[in-house]
Amino acid sequence: CGDHGCYGPIDKVEHVRHVKRMQPGAPNATYGPKAPLEWGQVNFLHTTDTHGWLEGHLKEQNYGADWGDFVTFSRRMKQTAGNMGVDLLLVDTGDLHDGNGVSDATKQDGTKSMPIFDEIEYDLLTIGNHELYVTEVAYQMFNEYAKKWGDRYVTSNVKVLNQKTGKFEYVGATHRYFTTPKGLRVMAFGVLFDFTGNSNASQVIKAKDMIKESWFNEALASKEPVDLFILFGHNPVRPTDSASTFKLVLDAIRASHAKTPIQVLGGHSHIRDFAVYDDSAVGIESGRYCETLGWMSVSGFDSSNSGFKGVKNPHGVPNPSRPAKEGSKSPFVYSRRYLDWNRKTFLYHSKQTEKTYDYHSGLRVTGDITKVRDELKLGQVYGCAPQDYCIDCAPFTDPKNIFPGVIYPAVSAVVLNETRKDKSRIILGNTGAIRFDLHKGPFTYDDNFIVAPFRDVFLYIADVPFDKASAVLDKLNKGIVNKRFVSTRVPSDECTNPTLGYMSRRDVREPRGIVRRQDGVVPGYTTKDDWGTDGDDTEHSAIPSYRIPGYWEARASFPKDGSNPDKVDLIFFDFIQSLVLQDLGAGYTADMVQCYINCTFTSQDFMLPYAKLAWQENVDDCPL
Ligand SMILES: O=c1ccn([C@@H]2O[C@H](COP(=O)(O)O)[C@@H](O)[C@H]2O)c(=O)[nH]1
Ligand SMILES: [Zn+2]
Ligand SMILES: [Zn+2]
């Protein structure tokens, strides 16, 4: 199989057309930031869970900036900070691939995307779980990426096997102590949640054990003064999220540093969020997929509590004025903002126009992305999707939902072993393997990775009694399983709304009708966090979000008379093999499991053949 899967080389694609970026401007040009950012003594720009979306969202204008636009923005903002006499720190909290053709269409994930990602002058970076599923990727992080960033790459609880020494070693630094240009003395820890799905090339030290490590306690006991702790990581900021381990580490820091400010920056749960831990500890989480750029600012440093030598209240701009908690006695005040990832946002906050904005560095990066997209043929069109299909904006059984609308018919038609085509089959998958909505219009090679980026092999057990096989889905979806795999997707009760069901992915946490609507507002994030509803930089109307289960099932080649077969081939992703075996119960073991089509046919390989099969109508004239 080539780069384009097992369905022949690209010249066999009958309908080849290239999708070009949607231009900002009309028709929905009325959106935009509501007010200038509040600049403090130290400020943060935060990216997380970018998952390879370096081209931006070609089909969603509101998130349409590319990484080159961001390169320019980050440089302009660093200069602005310098001119104002304050600090600006750039931070990334991991999950760099699995989600887009730019990162996933190469033989090894990240080969073409990582050099593009590197173009930002980050001050702190750390590792995500998606850098640890695949052994080769973990080695790439250890041998190349971490080396490039030196002590800015902080992995306080993640080790990878050094193939030369045969020993597990920290991927990056355990911690970073540094002084900012304006004199703030910072101690930073980068902590991944207690991830257990890593390959055996890495070790993730649980937070409860990490805080007992001697290096950690020595760092906290160090005689070097610390003005600010930065606790960052691929780790949700919400303390009630069962995946988050930040609170544990924060409490460990507080045990010896009761009042020093702690700035938390997190990720992994793919939401916009802001959490207040105490009077001088707050945390921001900045969404996913280059939809959001997080902004935080902090003031309150003076000669009694820091080495800060910059400007106390930067002039000509608003300054942060809000204590973490009402009635706080701490000197520290904050602001937080979630910026939509588009050029209009970037232009507004850098006070530029379309004509003046671009830097050569940014344009060069945009050019590099275009080159990569061309080389990987990401714009090639395989079909014309007749409508929009979403993951959770419609109920799970609605034809607008991507599972009944696309995934079931696609796997039923395409995931077929010719030698067993007469056998009835049940195909099981985890909903988390389907990563993004599918838009009406041209379905490109890139969209294949956007919808189904993982290389999860289709496995099967032959001739399972129907009664046993058909009971698995329900068992998978009952409680324990969700906790085992998708803890960050499990709704907390506070997010459940009787009208809309579970609201999660876009942070829609208010019922329709109560959401602030105004003319010119386009659908998007309407975030509610510990400070309320004023964090979104651009006002949006809410997008409904329904509860979806953790697992799905499709059936194919069942008897035409509507009866059930005696036996079925039970097909499933390797990612969920252990759970399926567990739920089948006694008598089912790993040696009964085989590759279904072959051992390289994965979840990356069914969408393109389906697009060629089902979406050829209007393909030559498919409107974007
Ligand atoms: O091989 C894989 C790896 C992961 N998944 C799904 O992804 C989520 C984790 O994604 P985050 O971006 O870290 O939240 C995991 O829970 C699975 O649902 C997969 O399907 N296959
Ligand atoms: Zn992620
Ligand atoms: Zn993650």
Side-chain angles (χ1 to χ4, degrees), residues 49 95 129-130 193 234 268:
D49 295 87
D95 269 10
N129 52 305
H130 283 268
F193 71 97
H234 195 74
H268 180 60

Side-chain angles (χ1 to χ4, degrees), residues 300-580:
F301 297 98
D302 60 27
S303 55
S304 76
N305 63 18
S306 76
F308 187 75
K309 290 182 183 58
V311 172
K312 198 155 186 212
N313 292 307
H315 312 299
V317 285
N319 303 135
S321 56
R322 207 160 159 177
K325 286 178 169 176
E326 254 176 63
S328 157
K329 293 198 173 58
S330 150
F332 298 102
V333 284
Y334 301 89
S335 84
R336 58 88 176 86
R337 197 84 70 83
Y338 312 105
L339 277 54
D340 282 357
W341 192 279
N342 60 58
R343 275 177 69 94
K344 190 158 185 167
T345 299
F346 294 170
L347 264 57
Y348 177 84
H349 288 304
S350 58
K351 298 195 169 52
Q352 299 297 316
T353 64
E354 270 297 340
K355 279 201 178 128
T356 60
Y357 177 73
D358 292 299
Y359 277 166
H360 286 303
S361 50
L363 291 174
R364 184 175 45 75
V365 171
T366 298
D368 291 346
I369 296 169
T370 307
K371 203 161 147 252
V372 167
R373 286 183 54 79
D374 285 350
E375 279 167 17
L376 297 174
K377 301 185 171 66
L378 295 181
Q380 290 200 311
V381 177
Y382 281 69
C384 183
Q387 62 169 81
D388 290 334
Y389 300 96
C390 63
I391 289 175
D392 60 8
C393 79
F396 199 58
T397 49
D398 192 296
K400 243 196 103 193
N401 187 289
I402 197 167
F403 291 95
V406 178
I407 304 303
Y408 303 166
V411 294
S412 303
V414 176
V415 183
L416 175 62
N417 176 336
E418 279 296 323
T419 66
R420 301 189 64 83
K421 67 178 175 203
D422 300 330
K423 306 272 179 189
S424 298
R425 54 196 191 279
I426 290 181
I427 306 157
L428 290 169
N430 55 316
T431 50
I434 304 304
R435 299 285 278 188
F436 202 65
D437 300 346
L438 196 157
H439 293 280
K440 178 179 177 176
F443 183 83
T444 63
Y445 185 46
D446 196 16
D447 290 320
N448 179 58
F449 300 97
I450 285 173
V451 172
F454 299 116
R455 292 174 218 252
D456 293 340
V457 179
F458 284 98
L459 304 175
Y460 85 117
I461 301 175
D463 301 322
V464 180
F466 173 78
D467 290 348
K468 280 218 170 266
S470 58
V472 174
L473 178 68
D474 201 35
K475 291 184 187 170
L476 286 172
N477 275 325
K478 283 212 168 100
I480 5 163
V481 171
N482 276 341
K483 278 206 188 89
R484 278 186 301 216
F485 260 121
V486 286
S487 53
T488 59
R489 304 266 185 269
V490 175
S492 61
D493 288 344
E494 74 204 35
C495 298
T496 305
N497 173 276
T499 327
L500 291 179
Y502 171 49
M503 303 176 180
S504 64
R505 296 196 184 234
R506 284 182 187 258
D507 250 0
V508 181
R509 292 195 192 158
E510 296 167 290
R512 241 186 310 209
I514 299 178
V515 170
R516 300 150 285 146
R517 279 182 190 276
Q518 59 189 54
D519 286 346
V521 168
V522 296
Y525 284 93
T526 56
T527 310
K528 187 159 180 259
D529 60 23
D530 274 1
W531 273 3
T533 55
D534 59 355
D536 294 312
D537 187 48
T538 295
E539 302 261 347
H540 289 291
S541 57
I543 300 169
S545 184
Y546 290 81
R547 173 188 285 273
I548 62 166
Y551 299 85
W552 53 268
E553 175 192 282
R555 297 180 175 193
S557 301
F558 266 48
K560 291 205 168 46
D561 63 6
S563 64
N564 289 326
D566 292 339
K567 290 175 175 179
V568 295
D569 281 352
L570 184 63
I571 303 163
F572 47 87
F573 294 137
D574 58 357
F575 189 70
I576 59 171
Q577 169 175 330
S578 59
L579 303 180
V580 170

Side-chain angles (χ1 to χ4, degrees), residues 269-322:
S269 48
H270 289 194
I271 60 170
R272 293 180 172 187
D273 204 1
F274 174 77
V276 175
Y277 303 97
D278 63 35
D279 283 359
S280 46
V282 300
I284 188 167
E285 190 171 329
S286 305
R288 59 166 199 183
Y289 302 163
C290 293
E291 292 171 344
T292 302
L293 179 61
W295 170 265
M296 281 261 8
S297 61
V298 189
S299 282
F301 297 98
D302 60 27
S303 55
S304 76
N305 63 18
S306 76
F308 187 75
K309 290 182 183 58
V311 172
K312 198 155 186 212
N313 292 307
H315 312 299
V317 285
N319 303 135
S321 56
R322 207 160 159 177

